[in-house]
């Protein structure tokens, strides 16, 4: 291994952590994060994980989070801070950089180091590495599958075949959309093989190239990983069939039965140029332009077939994701990783195109200068605009004011004679109350309703404004409406509190200065 290259990867890894680790708990959990939080704490405390083929995604995120929960010092979910949940995506997101050494002999160390630099500072990569969702793990395992596959082609070692198969198994066990990446890999590999070959590939030549024992080993590794994770380590064998059944509801959503329908340019618009009204301009255009240069360079016969494969794979995967109507912004990470590899090759090509060492240094310095704005955007996206809709990567994000509601309800419990045993009713249409189940996990007598019950009254009630409940009026002022909180954009909740309980709570508040 190139020692200086390895040092460069370690420095990029450290820089990536420096951008990703601070203030992990300042942004309230997104709905999806809260669902994952409930599921992982059930696994942590009770050893239960059951894969749901109708909703959610695969189990790897939950099992990967367990070591961080064990090391947290917390004994119950009540003691667990939000930041601990987000540590697994942070380290998988930064860990992408360490996987790049697998590609070094295929795209060159200079390209690898530029790619590492772009991964460490990309606003999208930084922002979603701080999200407790599956996407960053899927990108990591995809990179591992690509890298291990390349290493197998170079070495023909059965060990790399097993690693590639296991990586595909982990992709499967992470998120259903892995099939898009596998399809793009297969198509790109086929085109690359015919493109690279100097003469037509016969079946005999193909059979000579392929070691069927190694293919069997890779498939066995994939199936073992699939078996372990979807059976919840032999505790839920129904999960194996469910891992196939899941594609029926997901195909339905992908075909248009979902609120998350967006035009084909949804992803590219967020990456290329996003300028909301009264908001800053966002762009990862530097990476996109360099990626186009890298893709063009891959056409050269002098270039490694790996670079050509990455270009084809990235183009195909981008088309697949853009063609599907169902879109959430974090899905762009799957093809954006390929773009970053191409951008690394493009940057290296630009610098190396100059003959003079001084000009090479100058060109590298100019590119670094342009890249500074990516670092600024990363900080702005993750720390200043982390919940702001003017951030291209914020999507149906929980509003920070929800933390004030949580604080108030917990304060009410502290003055209540029954404490956290106080009855609380949360009422919202179609269960539209996430992430409240996570934030109200300390309450032991809490009910969740999708419509107003016949008897809606309890000491504390949190009711969607869509119901126009007016429970203060209907109770003859024995309950008061103590606040209106926006849960997420356009979703408001009314807090109703029993009058005597509210009086006790008010007495605990510090006096207001005139």
């Amino acid at each position: 291994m190139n020692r200086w290259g390895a040092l460069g990867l370690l420095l990029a890894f450290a820089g990536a952590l420096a951008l990703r680790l601070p203030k992990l708990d300042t942004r309230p959990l997104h709905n999806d994060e809260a669902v994952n939080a409930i599921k992982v704490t059930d696994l942590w405390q009770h050893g239960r994980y059951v894969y749901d083929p109708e909703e959610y995604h695969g189990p790897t995120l939950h099992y990967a989070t367990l070591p961080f929960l064990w090391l947290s010092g917390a004994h119950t979910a009540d003691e667990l801070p939000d930041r601990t949940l987000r540590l697994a995506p942070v380290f998988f997101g930064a860990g992408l950089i360490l996987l790049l050494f697998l590609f070094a002999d295929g795209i060159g160390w200079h390209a690898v180091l530029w790619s590492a630099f772009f991964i460490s500072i990309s606003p999208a990569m930084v922002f979603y590495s701080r999200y407790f969702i599956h996407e960053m793990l899927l990108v990591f395992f995809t990179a591992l599958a690509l890298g291990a596959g390349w290493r197998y082609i170079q070495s023909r070692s059965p060990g790399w075949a097993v690693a590639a198969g296991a990586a595909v198994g982990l992709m499967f066990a992470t998120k259903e959309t892995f099939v898009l990446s596998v399809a793009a890999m297969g198509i790109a590999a086929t085109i690359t093989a015919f493109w690279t070959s100097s003469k037509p590939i016969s079946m005999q030549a193909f059979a000579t190239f392929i070691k069927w024992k190694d293919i069997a080993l890779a498939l066995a590794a994939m199936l073992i990983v699939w078996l372990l994770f979807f059976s919840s380590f032999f505790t839920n064998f129904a999960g194996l069939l469910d891992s196939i059944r899941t594609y029926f509801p997901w195909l339905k959503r992908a075909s248009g039965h979902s609120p998350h329908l967006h035009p084909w340019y949804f992803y590219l618009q967020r990456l290329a140029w996003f300028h909301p009204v009264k908001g800053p301009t966002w762009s990862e255009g530097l990476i996109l332009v360099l990626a186009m240069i890298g893709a063009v360079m891959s056409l050269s016969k002098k270039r490694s077939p790996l670079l050509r494969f990455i270009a084809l794979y990235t183009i195909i995967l981008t088309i697949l994701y853009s063609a599907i109507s169902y879109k959430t912004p974090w899905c762009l990470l799957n093809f954006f990783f390929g773009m970053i590899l191409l951008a690394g090759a493009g940057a290296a090509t630009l610098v190396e195109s100059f003959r003079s060492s001084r000009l090479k240094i100058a060109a590298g310095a100019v590119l670094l200068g342009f890249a500074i704005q990516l670092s600024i955007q990363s900080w702005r996206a993750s720390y200043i605009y982390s919940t702001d809709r003017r951030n291209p990567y914020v999507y149906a994000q929980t509003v920070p004011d929800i933390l004030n509601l949580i604080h108030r309800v917990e304060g009410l419990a502290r003055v209540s004679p029954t404490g956290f045993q106080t009855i609380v009713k949360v009422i919202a249409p179609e269960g539209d109350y996430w992430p409240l189940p996570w934030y109200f996990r300390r309450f032991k007598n809490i009910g969740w309703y999708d419509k107003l019950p016949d008897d809606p009254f309890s000491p504390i009630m949190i009711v969607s404004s869509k119901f126009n409940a007016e429970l203060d009026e209907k109770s003859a002022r024995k309950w008061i409406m103590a606040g209106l909180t926006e849960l997420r954009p356009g979703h408001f909740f009314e807090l109703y509190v029993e009058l005597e309980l509210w009086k006790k709570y008010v007495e605990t508040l510090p006096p207001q200065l005139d």
Side-chain angles (χ1 to χ4, degrees):
M1 179 187 290
N2 182 309
R3 292 183 180 180
W4 290 109
L7 178 61
L9 289 184
L10 290 175
L11 289 174
F13 175 74
L17 290 179
L19 263 178
R20 288 158 171 77
L21 279 173
K23 302 180 180 180
L24 279 173
D25 56 355
T26 55
R27 176 178 56 80
L29 293 185
H30 184 279
N31 295 2
D32 294 350
E33 292 182 286
V35 170
N36 291 328
I38 294 293
K39 293 175 76 69
V40 77
T41 51
D42 191 36
L43 174 62
W44 172 45
Q45 295 188 296
H46 306 293
R48 293 194 300 259
Y49 176 84
V50 177
Y51 175 70
D52 185 336
E54 299 293 330
E55 293 285 351
Y56 322 120
H57 298 297
T60 58
L61 175 66
H62 308 96
Y63 286 101
T65 303
L66 283 180
F68 297 97
L69 303 187
W70 294 332
L71 296 172
S72 68
H75 298 93
T76 66
D78 296 352
E79 303 171 0
L80 195 63
D82 292 352
R83 63 178 177 272
T84 302
L85 297 170
R86 290 169 170 154
L87 287 173
V90 164
F91 280 92
F92 276 93
L96 271 174
I97 292 169
L98 301 182
L99 291 181
L100 294 180
F101 86 90
L102 298 174
F103 302 89
D105 63 342
I107 64 175
W109 270 106
H110 289 169
V112 159
L113 292 175
W114 278 109
S115 298
F117 177 57
F118 293 140
I119 288 172
S120 70
I121 64 172
S122 159
M125 287 289 179
V126 174
F127 188 80
Y128 290 125
S129 290
R130 295 164 55 83
Y131 246 66
F132 184 49
I133 58 175
H134 300 71
E135 217 66 38
M136 196 54 70
L137 272 69
L138 178 60
V139 177
F140 180 91
F141 295 135
T142 302
L144 179 59
L146 292 170
W150 171 248
R151 294 263 51 84
Y152 172 74
I153 291 172
Q154 294 301 101
S155 67
R156 313 308 299 279
S157 167
W160 285 116
V162 170
V168 173
L170 289 166
M171 292 168 63
F172 191 172
T174 300
K175 193 176 179 184
E176 298 75 13
T177 51
F178 94 101
V179 295
L180 300 177
S181 297
V182 171
M185 289 179 196
I187 297 170
T190 302
I191 295 173
T192 302
F194 281 94
W195 191 342
T196 304
S197 177
S198 58
K199 55 184 178 180
I201 299 177
S202 64
M203 289 303 296
Q204 182 179 0
F206 180 75
T208 302
F209 178 78
I210 293 293
K211 292 185 177 180
W212 295 108
K213 289 184 179 179
D214 293 345
I215 298 298
L217 285 173
L219 288 173
M222 183 191 75
L223 290 173
I224 289 171
V225 171
W226 168 76
L227 171 65
L228 290 174
F229 280 97
F230 280 109
S231 72
S232 302
F233 290 84
F234 309 114
T235 62
N236 174 43
F237 285 99
L240 301 176
L241 179 59
D242 287 342
S243 71
I244 307 301
R245 288 180 54 240
T246 189
Y247 287 95
F248 293 103
W250 286 107
L251 284 172
K252 185 177 180 180
R253 293 186 186 96
S255 64
H257 297 272
S258 168
H260 306 291
L261 304 181
H262 299 285
W264 69 267
Y265 54 81
F266 177 79
Y267 298 124
L268 296 177
Q269 181 186 53
R270 276 159 169 70
L271 289 170
W273 186 264
F274 190 84
H275 188 190
V277 177
K278 296 182 180 180
T281 299
W282 307 82
S283 175
E284 302 204 38
L286 175 65
I287 291 175
L288 297 184
V289 170
L290 291 173
M292 286 189 282
I293 294 172
V296 171
M297 295 306 301
S298 73
L299 302 177
S300 170
K301 292 183 179 180
K302 297 180 180 179
R303 295 287 168 172
S304 162
L306 176 61
L307 187 61
R308 191 172 302 127
F309 165 81
I310 292 172
L312 291 167
Y313 162 78
T314 303
I315 292 169
I316 294 166
L317 193 58
T318 302
I319 292 171
L320 290 175
Y321 270 100
S322 298
I324 295 172
S325 298
Y326 180 100
K327 294 179 176 70
T328 50
W330 42 83
C331 290
L332 64 83
L333 297 177
N334 294 282
F335 59 80
F336 193 49
F337 172 71
M339 290 183 176
I340 289 178
L341 290 179
L342 293 172
T349 298
L350 280 179
V351 173
E352 291 165 7
S353 66
F354 294 94
R355 295 182 179 181
S356 165
S357 297
R358 289 183 179 180
L359 289 177
K360 287 182 180 181
I361 293 172
V366 169
L367 284 177
L368 289 173
F370 280 125
I372 289 175
Q373 52 85 25
L374 290 176
S375 300
I376 294 171
Q377 287 185 69
S378 291
W379 185 264
R380 189 169 64 194
S382 294
Y383 300 98
I384 301 173
Y385 288 82
S386 62
T387 62
D388 196 307
R389 281 172 281 181
R390 293 172 294 176
N391 178 341
Y393 305 119
V394 166
Y395 188 77
Q397 172 60 44
T398 307
V399 175
D401 190 40
I402 194 66
L403 300 179
N404 294 325
L405 172 65
I406 306 304
H407 178 75
R408 177 168 290 182
V409 174
E410 289 185 347
L412 288 164
R414 292 188 181 95
V415 300
S416 171
T418 52
F420 284 93
Q421 299 289 336
T422 301
I423 296 175
V424 179
K425 292 182 179 180
V426 181
I427 309 168
E430 300 179 0
D432 191 20
Y433 41 63
W434 288 93
L436 293 181
W438 170 252
Y439 285 114
F440 286 144
R441 62 192 181 278
R442 298 183 66 183
F443 288 86
K444 309 308 177 187
N445 290 308
I446 189 165
W448 307 93
Y449 303 85
D450 58 13
K451 61 182 179 180
L452 278 170
D454 294 334
D455 178 15
F457 293 100
S458 65
I460 302 171
M461 298 167 291
I462 301 163
V463 185
S464 170
S465 62
K466 293 179 181 179
F467 288 123
N468 297 313
E470 298 181 347
L471 297 180
D472 49 348
E473 300 288 343
K474 293 175 181 177
S475 68
R477 302 290 180 179
K478 292 180 181 178
W479 273 260
I480 67 166
M481 193 178 92
L484 181 68
T485 302
E486 189 177 23
L487 182 68
R488 59 182 178 276
H491 296 257
F492 292 88
F493 278 77
E494 300 163 349
L495 171 64
Y496 293 94
V497 184
E498 195 174 28
L499 181 58
E500 295 305 315
L501 177 58
W502 179 252
K503 289 179 179 179
K504 288 182 181 180
Y505 172 70
V506 170
E507 291 174 358
T508 67
L509 299 178
Q512 293 185 353
L513 298 176
D514 294 332

